Amino acid sequence: MGTALVTGASSGIGAEFARQLAARGHDLVLVARDRARLDAMAAELRALGRTVEILVADLAKANDTDRVAARLADPRHPVEVVINNAGFRVSSRLADPDVAEHDRALNVMVRAVLVLGGAAAKAMRPRGSGAIVNVASINGQLTLSGYSAIKAWVRVYSESLSNELRGSGVTVTALMPGWVRTEFHQRAGSTKGEAGRGGIPSFLWLEPELLVRDCLRDVDRGRVISIPTIRYKFLSWLVKHLPDATVRWVSRGISLSRSNAAAD
Ligand SMILES: NC(=O)c1ccc[n+]([C@@H]2O[C@H](COP(=O)([O-])OP(=O)(O)OC[C@H]3O[C@@H](n4cnc5c(N)ncnc54)[C@H](OP(=O)(O)O)[C@@H]3O)[C@@H](O)[C@H]2O)c1
């Protein structure tokens, strides 16, 4: 089955990718900052009989990203599947004078995706096989924040890389999750539970198991865009067909309800 490399494998969607890829028979390279959590994940996957490497890396740092890219380029230990998943919610507003969080977000969710996607494509193309998955977001179809802009970039980047690699045997898939039950929302400082996050209705919350299972099925089919569940496919279609001004109006409403929830 070959080796799969997953960034952000210590938690949430990335941990679930690691589990399901291991269950499919892949050996794993796990990437994140938290060594203790990566060790625990590696022990779980080794118990399934898989070979697991750990790369402790902060993808906000160019040197660390280069180390991961070097692993992808190693011809002696080829990587067949790359999941560019590491990320976090960006709370800073666009007009904040301090751009440190935006900088980190761009490094982790844009620069690292570009560098690792490029390294993977370069190694996979001559072999004539491989799969690259980049975790974008439905949020990227809205105009809510710097995070929306980043996730829109991930989708467009993935479609463009897919065009570049067309016919090579290497597939590229942008995964567009909606709201998923992971640590993402708590890490961003929500103390109100899922219903408190801007009043998101419970039927919109997804389990990582379902999201990843659907995504891997889309990867098997060579799909360029993977949107989980009929309800999110419909929402994505709707947003795509609304006038831009309406999308901005809806986005302003969501932003406002989020700031009100944060102020409560
Ligand atoms: N949950 C949602 O509702 C949702 C919706 C749409 C899209 N997404 C996207 O899904 C992806 C995974 O998020 P999640 O929901 O699984 O969140 P999560 O449970 O918080 O996991 C985030 C993962 O990213 C890693 N990470 C964060 N910063 C990193 C850095 N600087 N260097 C290396 N690794 C880093 C974390 O590991 P360490 O802390 O150990 O480094 C962790 O493994 C993200 O790209 C997110 O934008 C999530």
Side-chain angles (χ1 to χ4, degrees):
M1 285 301 284
T3 299
L5 181 146
V6 182
T7 72
S10 59
S11 162
I13 296 168
E16 186 57 30
F17 265 113
R19 284 191 189 99
Q20 292 196 25
L21 287 164
R24 283 172 165 229
H26 290 279
D27 293 328
L28 268 303
V29 182
L30 308 178
V31 182
R33 292 167 301 177
D34 188 328
R35 172 171 286 281
R37 294 187 74 173
L38 289 176
D39 281 340
M41 177 60 55
E44 183 185 327
L45 304 180
R46 284 179 189 131
L48 299 173
R50 303 292 161 252
T51 300
V52 184
E53 292 167 53
I54 286 176
L55 275 181
V56 176
D58 180 349
L59 297 175
K61 297 180 180 160
N63 286 347
D64 283 16
T65 303
D66 288 348
R67 267 196 299 117
V68 181
R71 174 62 187 85
L72 289 172
D74 183 350
R76 291 160 306 153
H77 302 104
V79 173
E80 281 296 322
V81 179
V82 172
I83 313 286
N84 270 316
N85 159 79
F88 58 92
R89 187 186 179 114
V90 185
S91 309
S92 302
R93 298 180 66 87
L94 289 167
D96 283 350
D98 182 355
V99 295
E101 193 191 18
H102 293 299
D103 246 358
R104 257 190 320 118
L106 286 165
N107 281 330
V108 174
M109 292 184 275
V110 174
R111 189 181 180 283
V113 172
L114 176 78
V115 171
L116 301 183
K122 196 170 162 213
M124 290 170 178
R125 186 164 23 201
R127 297 200 299 264
S129 70
I132 300 168
V133 176
N134 300 317
V135 180
S137 174
I138 286 279
N139 194 314
Q141 289 186 247
L142 300 172
T143 54
L144 285 165
S145 57
Y147 181 79
S148 301
I150 282 171
K151 291 303 187 181
W153 182 90
V154 174
R155 182 182 54 76
V156 175
Y157 163 77
S158 305
E159 291 188 87
S160 306
L161 184 62
S162 155
N163 276 340
E164 223 175 283
L165 294 174
R166 196 172 165 79
S168 70
V170 182
T171 61
V172 183
T173 304
L175 171 60
M176 310 268 289
W179 283 275
V180 189
R181 288 191 180 94
T182 67
E183 293 174 20
F184 181 83
H185 305 277
Q186 294 97 294
R187 286 191 200 226
S190 172
T191 54
K192 297 165 186 301
E194 59 194 39
R197 250 298 145 192
I200 309 304
S202 57
F203 75 92
L204 284 178
W205 286 90
L206 298 172
E207 297 301 333
E209 293 82 354
L210 172 92
L211 175 80
V212 170
R213 199 179 56 236
D214 280 9
C215 177
L216 290 177
R217 199 171 50 217
D218 284 342
V219 171
D220 292 340
R221 292 172 178 160
R223 296 241 162 101
V224 180
I225 301 286
S226 175
I227 303 176
T229 73
I230 299 284
R231 53 194 184 272
Y232 273 111
K233 283 185 174 69
F234 173 71
L235 281 175
S236 169
W237 178 89
L238 187 66
V239 173
K240 206 186 278 180
H241 290 84
L242 287 173
D244 290 347
T246 309
V247 175
R248 288 195 295 275
W249 177 77
V250 170
S251 299
R252 278 198 299 279
I254 297 174
S255 291
L256 192 65
S257 74
R258 277 186 179 169
S259 352
N260 290 343
D264 284 345

